[in-house]
Amino acid sequence: MLLFALFELSYLLLLYMCIFAMKSVVLHYYLYNISNYLNQYRIPYRYEKPIALLDWNKTVICRPDFTVMNKRTGKIFLYEHLGRMDDKDYVSANMRKLDLYEKNNYLLGENLIVTHETSKSPLNVKVLELYIKTYFI
C-alpha cells in the first residue's frame, strides 16, 4: 500500500514537472522568436541583463527579458514579454515588477515596452514588428 502511494505521488510530481517544463518551453520559444526579430532588424540588445532598481530603501536586482538600444538614437529600453497572462500568480508577480519599474522611472511607451500573450491569444508578430519599427529603429 505504501509503495503504491509513493509511486502515485512520484507520478503526480513527474506530471507536474512536465507541465511546468512545457509552459517554460513555450515561453522560451516566444522569447527566442522575439530575439530572432531583433536580430533580423539588427537591433542591439542584451537578454536578461541585470539592472539594479530601488524598492523603497533597498536595492533589488531585476532581469528584464531584453534591454534594447535604439539603433539611431542610442536610447535604452527595457522590454518585457508577459507570456503567461492566463496564470494568476505570473500576472501578480509581473504587476509587482511593472510597479517597481515605474518607481524607477521606467514608463510604458517611454523607455519600457511590454508585449503579452495568453494560451488562447499568442504573440502577434505584426504587433512585435510595429514595436520594433516604432521604438528601436
Side-chain angles (χ1 to χ4, degrees), residues 62-124:
C62 234
R63 288 177 170 77
D65 290 329
F66 301 95
T67 303
V68 184
M69 185 173 72
N70 179 292
K71 284 179 14 173
R72 191 174 28 82
T73 66
K75 182 176 179 178
I76 299 296
F77 291 84
L78 301 185
Y79 177 7
E80 286 286 355
H81 177 66
L82 306 179
R84 296 187 349 235
M85 293 300 287
D86 36 12
D87 178 335
K88 290 179 185 177
D89 294 333
Y90 178 85
V91 169
S92 180
N94 277 284
M95 288 306 296
R96 285 191 300 274
K97 187 192 283 189
L98 292 175
D99 287 341
L100 184 59
Y101 286 152
E102 288 177 344
K103 288 179 190 173
N104 286 269
N105 298 316
Y106 289 100
L107 305 175
L108 278 171
E110 180 61 33
N111 52 2
L112 173 64
I113 305 302
V114 176
T115 53
H116 55 84
E117 67 184 287
T118 66
S119 58
K120 294 179 182 172
S121 179
L123 175 64
N124 183 335

Side-chain angles (χ1 to χ4, degrees), residues 1-11:
M1 186 74 151
L2 179 60
L3 185 60
F4 180 73
L6 286 174
F7 174 76
E8 187 173 316
L9 181 61
S10 39
Y11 173 76

